[in-house]
Amino acid sequence: MMKSARLNGRHRFIISSFFFIMFLCVLASINEVRFDSFLKFGQCAPANVPSHNSSLENNIVASNSSSSSDEIRILIGILTLPDQYQRRHFLRLIYGTQSPLGAKVDVKFVFCNLTKEDQKVLVALEIMRYDDIIILNCKENMNKGKTYTYFSSLPEMLNDTNSPYPPYHYVMKTDDDSYFRLNSLVESLRPLPREDLYYGYVIPCRSMDPFVHYMSGMGYMISWDIVEWIRDSDIPKNHLEGPEDKVFGDWIREGHRAKNRYNAKWSMYNFPEPPTTCTHELWPNTIGVHLLKTQEKWIRTLKYFNVTDNLKPSKLYHIP
């Protein structure tokens, strides 16, 4: 009896062990399937379900250069000279520390062909570092067609089938002695049309009617359709010489362009000293200030608008 009981116990143990091993095998097979599916799902996840990090990156991009239909895309072309290295570095500080909301604002420095060996090295280094220079195929000048070459060259440079159209809603021509507050500029553009627009400071200085004369060369802006018209029309091609802002106004008038015009006076003005009919005191509703010919005028302007208020405290420096 004892021997029979032992044999039965062994049989039960073997059978139990067999079923337990089978159970483990089945469980392992199920887990393997689940693991493979998990791996496949993980490979697809970045394309379909963004991870926490990718969402953060997308939000950062969206806040600065969103491609939504409400975003305003602006190109600011600062016409300058190749040798103005220090001025360009200074203006990079001025505009690089501004972050306009709901807009993509690109600031580019614009000049004609390089003529010196040192320019070919130093400007090339600037392009490699900052990628913010446009070199036009022209001989350097101010009032003999440089503005025309700037605007007429942009469609060929910027039209890309893989990018939004138009590449920019608005294109500005300005000078390197002008200062623009980008948030104020963007907000002034929000209610305005994105076609057939001519924007700036009306000349003569006493005038407030944008349909009589033209906008000052301190900084005027046009919509992209007018940029393309400048490229295609014979009117600008046949009238290149003269004060560039006045000549530009002549093109607009002769071509019956810019049914939409915006006079930004007195949010744009010349620096208050020396006082003239074109000057205005610095004030909070400013979009742009012109004729900042000296560092002292730049510093007074920047201090007035508290441009360093967002400087973060740090143990690494002490600025009283």
Side-chain angles (χ1 to χ4, degrees):
M1 290 291 294
M2 291 292 293
K3 187 175 181 181
S4 177
R6 287 175 183 171
L7 288 173
N8 289 336
R10 287 178 183 175
H11 289 158
R12 284 196 297 269
F13 176 75
I14 292 171
I15 293 170
S16 299
S17 299
F18 173 77
F19 282 112
F20 181 69
I21 291 170
M22 290 295 295
F23 172 76
L24 290 178
C25 290
V26 171
L27 183 63
S29 299
I30 294 172
N31 285 338
E32 184 177 1
V33 171
R34 287 178 177 174
F35 184 70
D36 288 343
S37 300
F38 177 75
L39 286 178
K40 292 177 182 178
F41 175 77
Q43 292 169 354
C44 297
N48 297 302
V49 183
S51 67
H52 174 76
N53 288 337
S54 65
S55 295
L56 178 61
E57 291 169 1
N58 289 338
N59 287 338
I60 292 172
V61 171
S63 66
N64 293 305
S65 58
S66 167
S67 59
S68 71
S69 59
D70 292 333
E71 177 197 65
I72 300 175
R73 298 188 294 275
I74 304 169
L75 172 63
I76 297 177
I78 301 175
L79 271 61
T80 183
L81 300 171
D83 289 331
Q84 293 281 9
Y85 302 107
Q86 293 301 320
R87 177 55 60 89
R88 287 196 291 279
H89 291 320
F90 175 69
L91 290 174
R92 287 184 182 113
L93 294 177
I94 299 301
Y95 292 112
T97 51
Q98 299 188 56
S99 301
L101 299 175
K104 177 180 184 290
V105 182
D106 290 337
V107 178
K108 304 284 188 183
F109 299 99
V110 183
F111 41 81
C112 292
N113 288 322
L114 307 180
T115 57
K116 303 176 186 176
E117 289 304 311
D118 63 328
Q119 292 173 352
K120 296 175 185 177
V121 174
L122 296 176
V123 172
L125 286 171
E126 284 186 88
I127 294 171
M128 292 166 65
R129 175 61 182 86
Y130 301 107
D131 192 23
D132 61 358
I133 287 175
I134 295 175
I135 301 177
L136 304 173
N137 185 20
C138 56
K139 184 177 180 181
E140 198 58 63
N141 69 90
M142 183 169 66
N143 292 319
K144 293 186 177 181
K146 182 177 180 179
T147 297
Y148 168 75
T149 305
Y150 165 55
F151 283 114
S152 64
S153 300
L154 291 178
E156 181 66 26
M157 291 179 176
L158 301 176
N159 276 340
D160 185 345
T161 55
N162 296 321
S163 299
Y165 180 86
Y168 296 98
H169 298 111
Y170 307 108
V171 176
M172 174 179 277
K173 173 268 160 188
T174 187
D175 298 330
D176 60 11
D177 63 346
S178 294
Y179 166 61
F180 282 91
R181 303 174 70 212
L182 299 184
N183 259 326
S184 299
L185 177 66
V186 168
E187 290 307 311
S188 72
L189 288 168
R190 287 199 190 282
L192 302 183
R194 294 185 180 180
E195 293 183 351
D196 211 20
L197 179 73
Y198 184 27
Y199 172 113
Y201 174 101
V202 172
I203 295 294
C205 296
R206 296 184 188 278
S207 173
M208 296 298 287
D209 186 348
F211 289 91
V212 176
H213 294 285
Y214 58 94
M215 306 294 186
S216 166
M218 72 167 71
Y220 54 86
M221 185 181 299
I222 55 174
S223 52
W224 184 255
D225 57 306
I226 296 182
V227 174
E228 294 184 320
W229 173 79
I230 292 172
R231 175 198 59 187
D232 298 332
S233 174
D234 289 332
I235 291 173
K237 293 185 181 77
N238 296 327
H239 184 188
L240 296 179
E241 296 193 14
E244 62 87 18
D245 49 3
K246 181 180 183 300
V247 168
F248 190 93
D250 292 341
W251 301 343
I252 295 296
R253 184 177 61 257
E254 293 171 26
H256 304 288
R257 297 286 147 173
K259 67 177 182 294
N260 303 306
R261 303 190 187 189
Y262 183 82
N263 176 22
K265 194 185 293 181
W266 290 98
S267 291
M268 290 172 61
Y269 50 87
N270 287 348
F271 187 81
E273 297 173 5
T276 68
T277 56
C278 295
T279 61
H280 192 282
E281 291 300 316
L282 299 172
W283 69 311
N285 290 340
T286 296
I287 293 173
V289 184
H290 185 222
L291 292 183
L292 300 175
K293 298 291 188 182
T294 66
Q295 181 165 318
E296 187 267 338
K297 290 182 177 180
W298 271 103
I299 297 304
R300 280 181 57 185
T301 301
L302 298 175
K303 286 182 69 175
Y304 178 85
F305 293 112
N306 301 312
V307 299
T308 60
D309 270 4
N310 292 328
L311 180 68
K312 296 179 180 178
S314 172
K315 295 179 180 179
L316 300 178
Y317 48 76
H318 173 67
I319 301 178

